[in-house]
Amino acid sequence: MGHLKQDSKKSVGIDAIAVHVPRLYVDLSGEWAQARAATFSEGDVAQLVGKVKKGVGVEHMAVPDAHEDSATLAAMAAVKAIQNAGIDPKDIGYVAVGTETTVDQSKSIAAYVLGMIERRFNVQMPDVGAPQFQFACIGATYALEAAVNMFRAEEHTKPYALVIATDVSKYPLLTAGEYTQGAGAVAMLVCENPRLLAIDPKTAATVTRDERDFFRPNGLQTAVVDGKYSIDVYLDCMTLAADRYLERARAAFNKPGARIDELASHLLFHVPFPRMAEYAALRILGDAWRKDSRIKDEIVREVPLITDTNIDKDPKARKAYEKQLADSAFFRHFFATTIEPSLTLSRKIGNIYSGSLYLALASLLESTENRASLAGQRIALLSYGSGASARVFSGTFVDPAHAYIPHAATDLKNEQDGGRRVALSVKDYERLHSGPKSEDSTTPGSLLQPAESLRAPKNEFALTRVGAEQSAQKTDTGYRYYEWMK
Ligand code: HMG
């Protein structure tokens, strides 16, 4: 277990965090499974449900309504973070958004979000920086790094920075990516002496390599992915970044030889789907444990393959070892206590791309009954974006009992149970997935008016129209108009 070591310098990190997800969702064990079994499991509905729920680890996926996009989701999360933290929006000097599903090819989505925040709180915030960070799912981590470093360099002009991760994950229907979609945003307020999580200095490690595992060429609405290969690239990059992190962290914390699970009480992963966190834990800890005689001797009785000397050379030997380890009581207990609490939201929401790692943080806070018990504990955050880059860093909880009021769980309650969630029929889901339709197929989707909402927007930001004027007086073709809907 890692504990907070007080540094004489000011700490910098996350003061407050808030999650926003669309109210619409697809229940992957309902009508969707009936409709897709012919494609995915030769008509066997139970087999498909078992695979999606157990094998992949998702139960529901959030789907945006026609008036929602990455900008409205981001603004909603931002408003919640500002309100939860009880701060004045004028105290924010930097709004950085990480997204890979932006709404414009040129304009920073952060500028749209800023406009919505200004209108919602009836304030002017002209003196802020508002960049967009893009690198698949790791974009928000780069945004967080920039915000944290701004405070460390004492270049900030206001007490807070706002970092938002927002995305709508979309794969073509009837492909294996379909059940790993989702949508949502996570907003984080960054400042000095944060109440939630102090980010450890001089420990983060980043690796990048030019890869083709997942990308979205200009003009395409859905991602191109080589599913199994993307898992391999994730594991390779993450392992490398975790090794580099460990080298720096051991030195920074003066803990030579410590393993990552000794430095951190919880490991939070980028979660494209919950089983991925298990694959990554098996790879990273499986390697750490078999190379450390202090723990290897404890595991060997249950996992004799831990002594196999071919693991590094032979992928089959590695697979067999990781399978045996996965089935062991030792690993199951470790996973249940150290990683599972960070996966509960993702099982109900799906992949929210750049926000997935931060959804894991919110999830850990939501599912820890006694949040005060987390104070002083160090967590490792393992971020990944396809294409491909991984960054591993860590942080230490300060006062998680008071700093954060989780809301996502109540947002995930169904309407008939007093929540705001609405299950989608397959027909409505497919209509929303295809986006607005044009009479002539030459008009790009971004110039079309939003389609009719399934549920009229209420107490939320909505995309109300897309500009269509091109005259001597005014040009706004394709500009997106967002309004707060009472
Ligand atoms: P698939 O073909 O659906 O899955 O692809 P599978 O056939 O490999 O089965 C998955 C697991 O389910 C297996 O478990 C099966 O045995 C098990 P394992 O052998 O691995 O332990 N299974 C069952 N379990 C229980 N009951 C059953 C049953 N049937 C089978 N009845 C895949 C899965 C994830 C590849 C696919 O959904 C996909 O392509 N998804 C999109 C890509 C993706 O998410 N990649 C992740 C890594 S890349 C990343 O994280 C970046 C990303 O977020 C984007 C970004 O950075 O911007 C994606």
Side-chain angles (χ1 to χ4, degrees), residues 327-350:
D327 292 340
S328 68
F330 181 90
F331 180 78
R332 298 304 342 152
H333 175 74
F334 175 86
F335 191 82
T337 49
T338 310
I339 297 167
E340 180 57 37
S342 65
L343 302 178
T344 53
L345 293 178
S346 147
R347 293 192 192 286
K348 303 277 184 202
I349 295 169

Side-chain angles (χ1 to χ4, degrees), residues 131-380:
Q132 171 173 315
F133 286 73
Q134 181 182 326
F135 194 150
C137 298
I138 201 175
T141 296
Y142 282 125
L144 180 63
E145 178 192 15
V148 167
N149 285 343
M150 189 177 73
F151 284 98
R152 286 190 183 144
E154 302 194 338
E155 283 291 346
H156 57 289
T157 52
K158 300 273 175 76
Y160 295 97
L162 180 59
V163 173
I164 314 166
T166 185
D167 272 305
V168 174
S169 157
K170 237 172 158 185
Y171 293 93
L173 300 178
L174 305 171
T175 66
E178 187 185 349
Y179 35 87
T180 63
Q181 299 176 112
V186 183
M188 294 169 279
L189 284 163
V190 173
C191 66
E192 288 179 334
N193 300 322
R195 289 171 297 170
L196 184 61
L197 189 78
I199 298 196
D200 296 325
K202 298 195 182 350
T203 50
T206 311
V207 302
T208 302
R209 100 189 181 199
D210 180 6
E211 275 293 350
R212 54 151 189 92
D213 57 330
F214 166 111
F215 49 96
R216 187 163 62 88
N218 285 342
L220 291 196
Q221 295 302 311
T222 50
V224 177
V225 63
D226 189 337
K228 301 283 189 290
Y229 182 62
S230 73
I231 294 175
D232 291 340
V233 180
Y234 176 122
L235 293 175
D236 287 355
C237 292
M238 203 66 108
T239 312
L240 205 54
D243 285 348
R244 300 280 185 276
Y245 162 81
L246 214 46
E247 283 165 23
R248 298 194 79 196
R250 283 170 177 162
F253 307 140
N254 195 20
K255 295 241 168 98
R259 298 186 312 270
I260 196 163
D261 55 311
E262 292 176 307
L263 294 180
S265 60
H266 290 86
L267 303 188
L268 272 50
F269 290 96
H270 164 57
V271 189
F273 54 93
R275 275 303 295 295
M276 188 68 231
E278 185 184 322
Y279 298 154
L282 284 166
R283 178 62 49 87
I284 290 169
L285 296 160
D287 276 350
W289 293 340
R290 78 190 163 85
K291 288 172 184 164
D292 185 345
S293 57
R294 287 176 301 150
I295 193 157
K296 190 173 163 183
D297 299 343
E298 206 183 310
I299 305 173
V300 70
R301 259 166 297 151
E302 240 199 313
V303 188
L305 288 176
I306 199 168
T307 56
D308 188 341
T309 49
N310 291 319
I311 293 170
D312 282 325
K313 293 171 261 168
D314 177 5
K316 276 201 190 123
R318 177 181 280 288
K319 210 169 171 206
Y321 162 56
E322 286 177 357
K323 169 95 185 64
Q324 202 172 65
L325 184 62
D327 292 340
S328 68
F330 181 90
F331 180 78
R332 298 304 342 152
H333 175 74
F334 175 86
F335 191 82
T337 49
T338 310
I339 297 167
E340 180 57 37
S342 65
L343 302 178
T344 53
L345 293 178
S346 147
R347 293 192 192 286
K348 303 277 184 202
I349 295 169
N351 190 359
I352 62 166
Y353 285 163
S354 58
S356 290
L357 171 64
Y358 304 98
L359 192 64
L361 172 57
S363 186
L364 173 63
L365 292 165
E366 300 258 12
S367 47
T368 305
E369 221 165 280
N370 176 12
R371 278 207 307 282
S373 67
L374 292 171
Q377 288 188 28
R378 172 169 295 118
I379 55 170

